[in-house]
Amino acid sequence: MQAIEPHEIARLQKILRRSYLLQTFDDRRNFLTLCGLERLDSVVKLDASIDKFLIGLLAKLFESSTPFSLRQKSELSVFLNFISQVDSSLIESDQEFIQFIIEKHESQTSVYVEEHNSSTTTETATCFLDIQEAPDTTVFFGRNEELETLEEWIIRDKVKLVSLLGMGGIGKTSIAAKYIDTIKYDEYQYIVWKSLKEATPIQEVVSDLIKILSNQTETDSSEDDSKLLKRLVHHINASRCLIVFDNFESVLKSGFRTGAYSEKYESYGRLLSCFGEYSHKSCLLITSREKPKEISLMESLHGLTRTVNVYGLNQANARKIFDLKGIFSGSDSEWATLVTHYAGNPLALKMLANPIKDLLGGNVSEFVEQSIGQGLLEFHDIQDLVARQFERLSDAEKQLMYW
C-alpha cells in the first residue's frame, strides 16, 4: 500500500486553509472540541497563522494515526470526516479528495493492524469482522453511561444477551455501532452485524451466521430451523463472538401485544432463548423499539440477560447536533424547552435543525414561541416518526395514550 505523498498532504493543507471552521483561535478550539480532539489544544498552536496551525495539526494527526481497535477511526480520519460533513463551503472535488485521503490512510492503518495481529502470540486469534451494515459513528455525542454499561456487562460480566430498547430515532443503533468502534480487537474472534430492518427470514440470517462462524465450511442452508439453531449454538460456544441484530422490532407484530412475533418469525424467539439459556462463550446484542417476550422472561439484574433502556440526549449533547448545522441563538431555558419537548431524540432534533436555521435564521426563541407555544409550525417528518412508533402499539396501549 502506497503512503500518502507529500504533494497530497500539500493539497490537503490548501483545502483546509480555505475552511471557515479553522480561521480563528475560537473557531479552531471549538471545532477540535466538536471532533472530540480537544487534547490537541495543548500541543497545537491555535493562535498561529493558518499555515503554521495546519502544519502543526496535520503533523500531530499523522503522528497519532494508528487506530487502537479494528474498526475505530484514527484521529486523522475523525477530523477529516468532520470537515467533509460540516463545512458546506467545500466544493465537490475537495470533498472527493478528502475522502480519497481518508480511504488511503485507513488502508495503511488496516495493514498495521494485520501486522500487529501476526506479531502477537499464537494464542491471540485475529478477529473477523462482518459489519458493513453498521452505521458510521464519526459524528457521535454523549452516551458514555450506556457505553460503559455495555463494556461492563459484555466484557466483565460475560452477559450472553443484551437488548438496547427505546423509541425510534433515540440512538440505539448508533450506540451499538459506537460500542463496536471501541472494542479491543483481541476480545473476540468474530464480530457480526445483521440488520433486520427488512424482516429477513431467520433461515437466511442463521445460515449466513453459520457460514461466517464456520469459515465457509458449512454452507448447507436446507435444514429446518431447529437444526440450524443447534448448529449455531455449537459455533457460538466454539468461538467468542459478538453478534448484533439491529431493528429487531421488524420481526415483531405491529399493533399487537408487546413482544409478540409476526407470522413465520416465531423462531427468532427460540434464537433469543438459545443465547440467553444455553452455555456458550458469545453475546447477542439487539436493538429494538419493543422488548421481545423471551427477554422479559429471562432478564434479571445480575443474570446473563439484561436490558439497557435508551433515553434522549441531555441538553449539552443535544445542542452539539445543532452546532453541526451552523449558528443558533436562544437562552438556556429556551434550549431546555426545545430539547425537553422532543425528549432529546437525536433524529427528531436533526430533523428540526435545518428548518430552524433556514426558516427562522437559527432563532430558537422564535421556534419555541411559534411551534411549541402556539403550534403554528408543523414538521411532517417528525409527525411521521411519532406515527410509526404509535402504530406499533396495541389497541389497549393506544387507548391509554388517548386517555
Side-chain angles (χ1 to χ4, degrees), residues 4 12 16 37 57-58 60-65 73-82 101-102 105-106:
I4 296 175
L12 178 62
L16 296 177
L37 301 175
L57 176 65
L58 291 175
K60 289 297 179 183
L61 289 174
F62 277 102
E63 178 183 299
S64 60
S65 63
K73 301 288 186 182
S74 69
E75 291 182 340
L76 177 66
S77 295
V78 169
F79 177 81
L80 294 180
N81 265 313
F82 261 92
I101 292 294
I102 292 172
H105 168 67
E106 289 181 349

Side-chain angles (χ1 to χ4, degrees), residues 194 200-209 221 228 268:
K194 292 291 181 185
T200 312
I202 191 168
Q203 295 88 346
E204 182 180 332
V205 171
V206 175
S207 295
D208 192 47
L209 285 173
S221 59
L228 285 172
Y268 272 102

Side-chain angles (χ1 to χ4, degrees), residues 107-271:
S107 296
Q108 290 177 281
T109 54
S110 67
V111 169
Y112 166 84
V113 172
E114 291 173 6
E115 291 174 348
H116 183 76
N117 281 340
S118 63
S119 66
T120 57
T121 64
T122 55
E123 296 178 359
T124 302
T126 300
C127 180
F128 175 87
L129 289 174
D130 186 348
I131 52 175
Q132 292 87 348
E133 294 179 308
D136 182 80
T137 59
T138 301
V139 179
F140 184 91
F141 304 118
R143 305 302 194 186
N144 291 334
E145 182 178 346
E146 291 90 342
L147 293 170
E148 289 171 2
T149 297
L150 291 176
E151 175 78 10
E152 179 181 332
W153 287 1
I154 297 175
I155 302 300
R156 190 195 71 181
D157 297 346
K158 298 294 187 290
V159 173
K160 301 175 182 178
L161 178 57
V162 179
S163 57
L164 286 168
L165 296 185
M167 73 169 295
I170 206 69
K172 306 178 295 296
T173 298
S174 295
I175 292 172
K178 192 65 174 181
Y179 174 66
I180 289 178
D181 284 349
T182 62
I183 290 173
K184 294 179 181 178
Y185 57 82
D186 58 353
E187 294 286 356
Y188 300 95
Q189 291 166 269
Y190 297 90
I191 300 176
V192 183
W193 182 290
K194 292 291 181 185
S195 173
L196 303 183
K197 191 172 184 178
E198 302 302 324
T200 312
I202 191 168
Q203 295 88 346
E204 182 180 332
V205 171
V206 175
S207 295
D208 192 47
L209 285 173
I210 291 171
K211 289 178 185 177
I212 293 170
L213 303 184
S214 68
N215 297 320
Q216 304 297 320
T217 61
E218 298 180 32
T219 58
D220 182 10
S221 59
S222 61
E223 296 178 326
D224 61 29
D225 294 353
S226 296
K227 291 181 179 178
L228 285 172
L229 289 174
K230 186 176 181 180
R231 289 166 58 196
L232 178 62
V233 170
H234 165 75
H235 287 293
I236 63 175
N237 187 45
S239 303
R240 172 75 167 150
C241 315
L242 175 63
I243 300 170
V244 180
F245 284 174
D246 189 29
N247 298 116
F248 195 86
E249 73 278 353
S250 300
V251 302
L252 300 176
K253 186 174 290 187
S254 178
F256 199 61
R257 61 186 177 85
T258 303
Y261 291 89
S262 299
E263 186 178 356
K264 298 182 180 180
Y265 289 91
E266 295 86 354
S267 290
Y268 272 102
R270 294 165 59 194
L271 184 149

